[in-house]
Amino acid sequence: WIASAPDLARVISTFDHPKLGVLKDSAIVNQLTQRPTGIAPKEGAKSPVTYYGLGFLVRPNKEATANTIWHNGRLDGTSSMMV
């Protein structure tokens, strides 16, 4: 492993509070979660299209103030998910 659970918690908390997190720059957070060009939600879709930003899955949430952002992974015998 290259990061501890507290390290991962610090990184993921950056998405809620960019200036208080380890990245300290909302422009970086925006870049990590930006929708890739060419992947637009379908017109009239009832739910937004989930997409993969730069390392994080993003599900736009029209009813909340923020998107749902997560990353998951696994190695033999383990798995993890950060939301």
Side-chain angles (χ1 to χ4, degrees), residues 35-59:
R35 181 184 299 276
T37 55
I39 300 179
K42 294 178 183 176
E43 269 191 57
K46 291 183 181 178
S47 63
V49 176
T50 299
Y51 61 90
Y52 193 74
L54 291 175
F56 292 91
L57 286 156
V58 180
R59 183 177 190 278

